């Protein structure tokens, strides 16, 4: 095990104000990273809790940087999907609004990672992550939630207010 491998295994904050929600790579050089860079519209209801992120995907045939927006419900769905991920099942980020990233676990426990953005790119990578990658990514999710906690509540249909727990 290399020292740089140990560094990647931690729920890393990569630079001030960023955190990797997803950081998958394998010995063949295939990688997919979703780096949360902050709130989409800080201080503005209802967009305050929407997070923006850069998606980096690379393999011998692709080197792409895309963007995605994640709602708090996306993070909840991501957590649920990760905890139940097994061969033949999927975990997703995005959907119906730009980029969709799908992790599909194969029978050999490797991942088919699909990036689909109708206007820019559709590609699939195969990544063989480390054995403990799901636990690591649940920790990454918690780091994202600690860094950008939910601070908006929906008080009625399309009506929003600041949460009493807001830290600002």
């Amino acid at each position: 095990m290399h020292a740089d491998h140990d560094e990647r295994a931690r729920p890393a904050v990569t630079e001030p104000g960023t955190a990797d929600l997803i950081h998958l790579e394998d010995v063949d050089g295939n990688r997919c990273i979703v780096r949360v860079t902050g709130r989409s519209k800080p201080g503005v209801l209802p967009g305050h809790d929407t997070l923006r992120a850069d998606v980096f995907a690379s393999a011998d045939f692709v080197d792409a940087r895309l963007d995605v927006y994640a709602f708090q419900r996306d993070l909840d769905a991501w957590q649920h999907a990760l905890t139940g991920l097994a061969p033949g099942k999927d975990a997703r980020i995005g959907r119906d609004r730009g980029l969709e990233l799908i992790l599909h676990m194969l029978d050999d426990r490797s991942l088919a990672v699909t990036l689909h953005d109708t206007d820019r790119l559709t590609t699939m990578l195969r990544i063989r992550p480390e054995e403990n990658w799901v636990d690591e990514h649940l920790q990454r999710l918690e780091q994202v939630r600690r860094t950008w906690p939910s601070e908006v509540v929906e008080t009625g249909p399309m009506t929003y207010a600041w949460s009493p727990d807001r830290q600002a």
Side-chain angles (χ1 to χ4, degrees):
M1 191 178 300
H2 301 292
D4 63 338
H5 172 76
D6 290 337
E7 192 65 30
R8 286 189 310 252
R10 293 189 199 121
V13 173
T14 56
E15 54 189 74
T18 68
D20 286 355
L21 177 64
I22 299 172
H23 193 119
L24 296 168
E25 61 185 308
D26 63 22
V27 296
D28 296 327
N30 303 314
R31 73 180 184 130
C32 179
I33 298 170
V34 175
R35 182 162 295 147
V36 179
T37 58
R39 296 182 186 276
S40 172
K41 296 179 182 177
V44 178
L45 291 172
H48 180 79
D49 277 353
T50 303
L51 302 178
R52 65 180 188 277
D54 294 323
V55 179
F56 303 95
S58 61
D60 58 354
F61 60 91
V62 67
D63 190 12
R65 184 203 158 280
L66 303 164
D67 57 344
V68 68
Y69 291 88
F71 296 104
Q72 294 298 317
R73 69 178 174 266
D74 295 327
L75 299 180
D76 295 340
W78 176 246
Q79 180 178 13
H80 179 74
L82 276 181
T83 57
L85 196 60
K89 301 231 178 193
D90 295 341
R92 301 168 183 260
I93 294 284
R95 199 184 284 189
D96 302 329
R97 49 177 199 283
L99 176 73
E100 180 177 27
L101 184 144
I102 305 164
L103 303 182
H104 179 81
M105 185 176 282
L106 303 171
D107 288 337
D108 67 357
R109 305 195 68 78
S110 65
L111 298 171
V113 179
T114 302
L115 294 153
H116 176 70
D117 185 321
T118 306
D119 297 332
R120 298 185 284 178
L121 174 75
T122 298
T123 192
M124 183 185 298
L125 312 172
R126 184 172 179 165
I127 300 177
R128 292 178 176 86
E130 295 292 323
E131 192 68 30
N132 66 341
W133 77 271
V134 171
D135 291 337
E136 173 193 329
H137 280 75
L138 289 169
Q139 291 173 7
R140 290 178 181 283
L141 172 61
E142 288 309 310
Q143 176 65 39
V144 167
R145 286 183 165 155
R146 280 191 304 272
T147 304
W148 298 283
S150 178
E151 297 180 333
V152 176
V153 292
E154 189 168 359
T155 58
M158 302 296 291
T159 306
Y160 303 92
W162 295 113
S163 167
D165 300 329
R166 184 169 186 226
Q167 299 176 14

Short mmCIF file of all heavy atoms in Angstrom, two decimals, residues 114-149:
data_model
loop_
_atom_site.label_atom_id
_atom_site.label_comp_id
_atom_site.label_asym_id
_atom_site.label_seq_id
_atom_site.Cartn_x
_atom_site.Cartn_y
_atom_site.Cartn_z
N THR A 114 -21.47 5.58 -15.34
CA THR A 114 -22.03 6.25 -16.51
C THR A 114 -22.20 7.73 -16.21
O THR A 114 -22.77 8.10 -15.19
CB THR A 114 -23.40 5.65 -16.89
OG1 THR A 114 -23.24 4.26 -17.13
CG2 THR A 114 -23.97 6.32 -18.12
N LEU A 115 -21.70 8.56 -17.11
CA LEU A 115 -21.91 10.00 -17.08
C LEU A 115 -22.76 10.34 -18.29
O LEU A 115 -22.37 10.04 -19.42
CB LEU A 115 -20.58 10.75 -17.17
CG LEU A 115 -19.67 10.56 -15.97
CD1 LEU A 115 -18.23 10.74 -16.38
CD2 LEU A 115 -20.05 11.54 -14.89
N HIS A 116 -23.93 10.94 -18.01
CA HIS A 116 -24.82 11.28 -19.12
C HIS A 116 -25.25 12.74 -18.97
O HIS A 116 -25.90 13.12 -18.01
CB HIS A 116 -26.05 10.37 -19.13
CG HIS A 116 -27.03 10.73 -20.18
ND1 HIS A 116 -26.79 10.54 -21.51
CD2 HIS A 116 -28.26 11.30 -20.10
CE1 HIS A 116 -27.84 10.98 -22.21
NE2 HIS A 116 -28.73 11.44 -21.36
N ASP A 117 -24.84 13.54 -19.92
CA ASP A 117 -25.27 14.93 -20.03
C ASP A 117 -25.71 15.11 -21.47
O ASP A 117 -24.88 15.11 -22.38
CB ASP A 117 -24.13 15.88 -19.68
CG ASP A 117 -24.58 17.34 -19.65
OD1 ASP A 117 -25.40 17.73 -20.51
OD2 ASP A 117 -24.11 18.07 -18.77
N THR A 118 -27.00 15.22 -21.68
CA THR A 118 -27.58 15.25 -23.02
C THR A 118 -26.89 16.24 -23.95
O THR A 118 -26.68 15.96 -25.12
CB THR A 118 -29.08 15.58 -22.94
OG1 THR A 118 -29.69 14.65 -22.05
CG2 THR A 118 -29.74 15.52 -24.28
N ASP A 119 -26.52 17.39 -23.42
CA ASP A 119 -25.94 18.43 -24.26
C ASP A 119 -24.43 18.30 -24.48
O ASP A 119 -23.90 18.94 -25.37
CB ASP A 119 -26.21 19.81 -23.64
CG ASP A 119 -27.69 20.12 -23.58
OD1 ASP A 119 -28.43 19.60 -24.43
OD2 ASP A 119 -28.09 20.87 -22.67
N ARG A 120 -23.73 17.50 -23.67
CA ARG A 120 -22.28 17.52 -23.75
C ARG A 120 -21.61 16.16 -23.90
O ARG A 120 -20.65 16.05 -24.65
CB ARG A 120 -21.70 18.24 -22.54
CG ARG A 120 -22.15 19.68 -22.46
CD ARG A 120 -21.50 20.41 -21.33
NE ARG A 120 -22.12 19.99 -20.07
CZ ARG A 120 -21.74 20.42 -18.90
NH1 ARG A 120 -20.74 21.24 -18.77
NH2 ARG A 120 -22.35 20.02 -17.81
N LEU A 121 -22.04 15.15 -23.17
CA LEU A 121 -21.25 13.93 -23.13
C LEU A 121 -22.07 12.78 -22.58
O LEU A 121 -22.86 12.95 -21.65
CB LEU A 121 -20.05 14.14 -22.20
CG LEU A 121 -19.16 12.95 -21.88
CD1 LEU A 121 -18.27 12.62 -23.08
CD2 LEU A 121 -18.31 13.24 -20.66
N THR A 122 -21.89 11.61 -23.14
CA THR A 122 -22.34 10.36 -22.54
C THR A 122 -21.18 9.39 -22.66
O THR A 122 -20.66 9.17 -23.75
CB THR A 122 -23.59 9.80 -23.24
OG1 THR A 122 -24.66 10.74 -23.10
CG2 THR A 122 -24.00 8.46 -22.63
N THR A 123 -20.75 8.85 -21.52
CA THR A 123 -19.64 7.90 -21.52
C THR A 123 -19.79 6.96 -20.35
O THR A 123 -20.51 7.24 -19.38
CB THR A 123 -18.28 8.62 -21.48
OG1 THR A 123 -17.25 7.69 -21.77
CG2 THR A 123 -18.03 9.29 -20.15
N MET A 124 -19.10 5.84 -20.43
CA MET A 124 -19.09 4.88 -19.34
C MET A 124 -17.65 4.46 -19.05
O MET A 124 -16.88 4.20 -19.97
CB MET A 124 -19.91 3.64 -19.68
CG MET A 124 -19.98 2.65 -18.53
SD MET A 124 -20.81 1.10 -18.93
CE MET A 124 -22.45 1.67 -19.31
N LEU A 125 -17.32 4.44 -17.78
CA LEU A 125 -16.01 3.98 -17.32
C LEU A 125 -16.22 2.73 -16.48
O LEU A 125 -17.23 2.59 -15.81
CB LEU A 125 -15.35 5.03 -16.41
CG LEU A 125 -15.31 6.47 -16.85
CD1 LEU A 125 -14.80 7.33 -15.70
CD2 LEU A 125 -14.41 6.61 -18.05
N ARG A 126 -15.25 1.88 -16.47
CA ARG A 126 -15.26 0.75 -15.54
C ARG A 126 -14.16 1.00 -14.52
O ARG A 126 -12.99 1.19 -14.89
CB ARG A 126 -15.03 -0.56 -16.25
CG ARG A 126 -15.14 -1.73 -15.29
CD ARG A 126 -15.10 -3.04 -16.02
NE ARG A 126 -15.17 -4.12 -15.07
CZ ARG A 126 -15.43 -5.35 -15.41
NH1 ARG A 126 -15.66 -5.66 -16.67
NH2 ARG A 126 -15.49 -6.29 -14.50
N ILE A 127 -14.54 1.04 -13.27
CA ILE A 127 -13.60 1.31 -12.18
C ILE A 127 -13.68 0.16 -11.18
O ILE A 127 -14.76 -0.26 -10.79
CB ILE A 127 -13.91 2.66 -11.50
CG1 ILE A 127 -13.80 3.80 -12.52
CG2 ILE A 127 -12.98 2.89 -10.31
CD1 ILE A 127 -14.16 5.16 -11.97
N ARG A 128 -12.52 -0.29 -10.78
CA ARG A 128 -12.43 -1.34 -9.75
C ARG A 128 -11.95 -0.67 -8.45
O ARG A 128 -10.75 -0.60 -8.21
CB ARG A 128 -11.45 -2.42 -10.18
CG ARG A 128 -11.95 -3.22 -11.36
CD ARG A 128 -10.93 -4.27 -11.79
NE ARG A 128 -11.46 -5.09 -12.86
CZ ARG A 128 -11.40 -4.80 -14.15
NH1 ARG A 128 -10.83 -3.67 -14.54
NH2 ARG A 128 -11.92 -5.61 -15.05
N PRO A 129 -12.90 -0.19 -7.64
CA PRO A 129 -12.49 0.52 -6.42
C PRO A 129 -11.97 -0.43 -5.34
O PRO A 129 -12.15 -1.65 -5.43
CB PRO A 129 -13.78 1.20 -5.97
CG PRO A 129 -14.86 0.31 -6.48
CD PRO A 129 -14.34 -0.26 -7.78
N GLU A 130 -11.36 0.16 -4.33
CA GLU A 130 -10.88 -0.60 -3.17
C GLU A 130 -12.08 -1.25 -2.48
O GLU A 130 -13.22 -0.82 -2.61
CB GLU A 130 -10.17 0.33 -2.18
CG GLU A 130 -8.91 0.94 -2.73
CD GLU A 130 -7.80 -0.09 -2.93
OE1 GLU A 130 -7.68 -1.01 -2.11
OE2 GLU A 130 -7.07 0.04 -3.92
N GLU A 131 -11.79 -2.27 -1.70
CA GLU A 131 -12.83 -3.07 -1.03
C GLU A 131 -13.76 -2.22 -0.15
O GLU A 131 -14.94 -2.44 -0.11
CB GLU A 131 -12.16 -4.17 -0.21
CG GLU A 131 -13.11 -5.22 0.30
CD GLU A 131 -13.68 -6.09 -0.81
OE1 GLU A 131 -13.01 -6.29 -1.84
OE2 GLU A 131 -14.82 -6.55 -0.64
N ASN A 132 -13.22 -1.27 0.58
CA ASN A 132 -14.00 -0.49 1.55
C ASN A 132 -14.55 0.82 0.98
O ASN A 132 -14.87 1.72 1.75
CB ASN A 132 -13.14 -0.21 2.78
CG ASN A 132 -11.98 0.71 2.45
OD1 ASN A 132 -11.59 0.86 1.29
ND2 ASN A 132 -11.42 1.32 3.47
N TRP A 133 -14.72 0.93 -0.31
CA TRP A 133 -15.08 2.20 -0.90
C TRP A 133 -16.45 2.70 -0.47
O TRP A 133 -16.65 3.90 -0.34
CB TRP A 133 -14.97 2.15 -2.43
CG TRP A 133 -16.10 1.44 -3.10
CD1 TRP A 133 -16.18 0.11 -3.38
CD2 TRP A 133 -17.31 2.03 -3.55
NE1 TRP A 133 -17.38 -0.17 -3.98
CE2 TRP A 133 -18.09 0.99 -4.10
CE3 TRP A 133 -17.82 3.32 -3.55
CZ2 TRP A 133 -19.35 1.22 -4.64
CZ3 TRP A 133 -19.07 3.55 -4.09
CH2 TRP A 133 -19.82 2.51 -4.62
N VAL A 134 -17.41 1.82 -0.20
CA VAL A 134 -18.75 2.27 0.21
C VAL A 134 -18.67 2.97 1.56
O VAL A 134 -19.20 4.08 1.72
CB VAL A 134 -19.76 1.12 0.23
CG1 VAL A 134 -21.08 1.57 0.86
CG2 VAL A 134 -20.02 0.60 -1.18
N ASP A 135 -18.01 2.37 2.54
CA ASP A 135 -17.86 3.00 3.86
C ASP A 135 -17.14 4.33 3.74
O ASP A 135 -17.52 5.32 4.37
CB ASP A 135 -17.10 2.09 4.82
CG ASP A 135 -17.90 0.85 5.20
OD1 ASP A 135 -19.15 0.88 5.11
OD2 ASP A 135 -17.28 -0.15 5.58
N GLU A 136 -16.11 4.37 2.92
CA GLU A 136 -15.36 5.61 2.70
C GLU A 136 -16.28 6.69 2.12
O GLU A 136 -16.24 7.85 2.53
CB GLU A 136 -14.20 5.35 1.74
CG GLU A 136 -13.47 6.58 1.31
CD GLU A 136 -12.53 6.32 0.14
OE1 GLU A 136 -12.00 5.19 0.03
OE2 GLU A 136 -12.36 7.25 -0.66
N HIS A 137 -17.15 6.32 1.19
CA HIS A 137 -18.02 7.30 0.55
C HIS A 137 -19.16 7.74 1.46
O HIS A 137 -19.63 8.87 1.35
CB HIS A 137 -18.49 6.79 -0.80
CG HIS A 137 -17.44 6.99 -1.84
ND1 HIS A 137 -16.31 6.18 -1.91
CD2 HIS A 137 -17.29 7.93 -2.80
CE1 HIS A 137 -15.53 6.62 -2.89
NE2 HIS A 137 -16.10 7.68 -3.43
N LEU A 138 -19.58 6.90 2.38
CA LEU A 138 -20.54 7.34 3.39
C LEU A 138 -19.88 8.38 4.30
O LEU A 138 -20.53 9.36 4.69
CB LEU A 138 -21.07 6.16 4.19
CG LEU A 138 -22.01 5.23 3.41
CD1 LEU A 138 -22.27 3.95 4.19
CD2 LEU A 138 -23.31 5.94 3.05
N GLN A 139 -18.60 8.21 4.60
CA GLN A 139 -17.87 9.21 5.38
C GLN A 139 -17.72 10.51 4.58
O GLN A 139 -17.83 11.61 5.13
CB GLN A 139 -16.50 8.69 5.77
CG GLN A 139 -16.55 7.57 6.78
CD GLN A 139 -15.18 6.94 7.02
OE1 GLN A 139 -14.16 7.42 6.53
NE2 GLN A 139 -15.16 5.85 7.77
N ARG A 140 -17.46 10.39 3.29
CA ARG A 140 -17.37 11.58 2.44
C ARG A 140 -18.69 12.35 2.45
O ARG A 140 -18.71 13.58 2.51
CB ARG A 140 -17.00 11.19 1.01
CG ARG A 140 -15.59 10.69 0.85
CD ARG A 140 -15.31 10.27 -0.60
NE ARG A 140 -13.95 9.78 -0.73
CZ ARG A 140 -12.88 10.56 -0.78
NH1 ARG A 140 -13.01 11.87 -0.73
NH2 ARG A 140 -11.68 10.03 -0.89
N LEU A 141 -19.79 11.62 2.37
CA LEU A 141 -21.12 12.24 2.41
C LEU A 141 -21.31 13.01 3.72
O LEU A 141 -21.79 14.15 3.71
CB LEU A 141 -22.21 11.18 2.24
CG LEU A 141 -23.64 11.65 2.44
CD1 LEU A 141 -24.02 12.73 1.45
CD2 LEU A 141 -24.59 10.46 2.35
N GLU A 142 -20.93 12.42 4.82
CA GLU A 142 -21.06 13.11 6.11
C GLU A 142 -20.19 14.36 6.16
O GLU A 142 -20.60 15.38 6.72
CB GLU A 142 -20.74 12.16 7.26
CG GLU A 142 -21.82 11.12 7.49
CD GLU A 142 -23.21 11.72 7.60
OE1 GLU A 142 -23.41 12.69 8.38
OE2 GLU A 142 -24.12 11.24 6.88
N GLN A 143 -19.01 14.31 5.55
CA GLN A 143 -18.15 15.50 5.48
C GLN A 143 -18.83 16.61 4.69
O GLN A 143 -18.81 17.77 5.08
CB GLN A 143 -16.80 15.16 4.85
CG GLN A 143 -15.88 16.36 4.66
CD GLN A 143 -15.45 16.99 5.96
OE1 GLN A 143 -15.18 16.28 6.92
NE2 GLN A 143 -15.39 18.30 6.01
N VAL A 144 -19.46 16.26 3.59
CA VAL A 144 -20.19 17.26 2.79
C VAL A 144 -21.32 17.85 3.61
O VAL A 144 -21.53 19.07 3.63
CB VAL A 144 -20.70 16.63 1.47
CG1 VAL A 144 -21.71 17.54 0.78
CG2 VAL A 144 -19.53 16.33 0.54
N ARG A 145 -22.06 17.01 4.32
CA ARG A 145 -23.18 17.51 5.14
C ARG A 145 -22.70 18.39 6.28
O ARG A 145 -23.38 19.34 6.65
CB ARG A 145 -23.99 16.34 5.67
CG ARG A 145 -24.83 15.69 4.60
CD ARG A 145 -25.67 14.60 5.17
NE ARG A 145 -26.71 14.22 4.23
CZ ARG A 145 -27.27 13.04 4.21
NH1 ARG A 145 -26.92 12.11 5.08
NH2 ARG A 145 -28.22 12.77 3.33
N ARG A 146 -21.55 18.07 6.87
CA ARG A 146 -21.01 18.93 7.93
C ARG A 146 -20.55 20.27 7.37
O ARG A 146 -20.70 21.31 8.00
CB ARG A 146 -19.84 18.24 8.64
CG ARG A 146 -20.25 17.21 9.68
CD ARG A 146 -19.08 16.76 10.53
NE ARG A 146 -17.95 16.24 9.78
CZ ARG A 146 -17.81 14.97 9.40
NH1 ARG A 146 -18.72 14.08 9.70
NH2 ARG A 146 -16.74 14.58 8.73
N THR A 147 -19.96 20.24 6.18
CA THR A 147 -19.44 21.46 5.57
C THR A 147 -20.57 22.38 5.11
O THR A 147 -20.50 23.60 5.28
CB THR A 147 -18.51 21.12 4.40
OG1 THR A 147 -17.47 20.25 4.87
CG2 THR A 147 -17.89 22.37 3.80
N TRP A 148 -21.62 21.79 4.51
CA TRP A 148 -22.76 22.56 4.01
C TRP A 148 -24.05 21.96 4.54
O TRP A 148 -24.80 21.30 3.81
CB TRP A 148 -22.77 22.55 2.47
CG TRP A 148 -21.56 23.18 1.88
CD1 TRP A 148 -21.29 24.51 1.77
CD2 TRP A 148 -20.43 22.50 1.33
NE1 TRP A 148 -20.06 24.70 1.19
CE2 TRP A 148 -19.51 23.48 0.91
CE3 TRP A 148 -20.10 21.15 1.15
CZ2 TRP A 148 -18.29 23.15 0.32
CZ3 TRP A 148 -18.88 20.82 0.58
CH2 TRP A 148 -18.00 21.82 0.17
N PRO A 149 -24.36 22.20 5.82
CA PRO A 149 -25.58 21.62 6.39
C PRO A 149 -26.84 22.23 5.76
O PRO A 149 -26.82 23.35 5.27
CB PRO A 149 -25.48 21.98 7.87
CG PRO A 149 -24.62 23.20 7.91
CD PRO A 149 -23.64 23.05 6.77
#
